[in-house]
Amino acid sequence: MRVSELAKKTNVTAETVRHYTRLGLIRAERDPNNGYQLYDKVALQRLNFIRQASDLGFSLKQIEEIFHQSDSGDSPCPMVRDLLEKKVPETKLKIAQLQAHLVKMEDALAAWKSMPNGAPDGHSICCLIEDWEEAINSDIRGG
């Protein structure tokens, strides 16, 4: 199948297929008649695997390592399990950081409701950003 057919079957863009081909994650043969890249069922299987592994948070470099082990005849499953066991706490930490960031953003919006818009005066760029922590601390202190 051609690039566009493989892309359609796997619900990715043609550029994604080309990118994975350049990285060596999938392989194509050249049609001697027209030079088109032609992909087989192995490419389809590998592209579906890349999508599934990416959905689980594996990087393309890690997916390349998984393919390398599998292509060498070794089971990549122990490595995959280990990698995912490390990713879970990393992801929980990222979620906690994002939640803290969201609280900070919501606090800023709440503080800005009582703050006037200011015009740049050569000493200030945007008073909302520059003064919002002061406004929050003032609210915390009650005044």
Side-chain angles (χ1 to χ4, degrees), residues 30-78:
R30 288 279 178 195
D31 184 327
N33 298 320
N34 55 24
Y36 289 151
Q37 290 183 316
L38 298 176
Y39 295 89
D40 59 13
K41 289 181 181 181
V42 172
L44 176 65
Q45 176 192 25
R46 288 172 79 102
L47 191 49
N48 280 324
F49 180 88
I50 293 168
R51 289 190 56 234
Q52 290 171 317
S54 294
D55 285 347
L56 284 169
F58 291 97
S59 69
L60 291 180
K61 184 68 177 160
Q62 291 168 328
I63 293 168
E64 181 181 29
E65 291 171 20
I66 294 166
F67 282 156
H68 178 72
Q69 273 202 320
S70 179
D71 293 344
S72 298
D74 295 328
S75 173
C77 292

Side-chain angles (χ1 to χ4, degrees), residues 6 20-21 24-29 38-40 42-43 46 71:
L6 181 59
Y20 293 159
T21 303
L25 296 172
I26 58 175
R27 292 175 186 81
E29 298 290 327
L38 298 176
Y39 295 89
D40 59 13
V42 172
R46 288 172 79 102
D71 293 344

Side-chain angles (χ1 to χ4, degrees), residues 102-112 132 136 139:
L102 178 60
V103 167
K104 187 178 273 193
M105 292 168 63
E106 290 170 338
D107 289 347
L109 279 174
W112 292 351
W132 81 272
I136 288 174
D139 286 348

Side-chain angles (χ1 to χ4, degrees), residues 88-99:
V88 168
E90 291 170 1
T91 302
K92 286 180 179 182
L93 177 61
K94 286 180 187 176
I95 290 169
Q97 291 169 336
L98 284 171
Q99 287 175 327

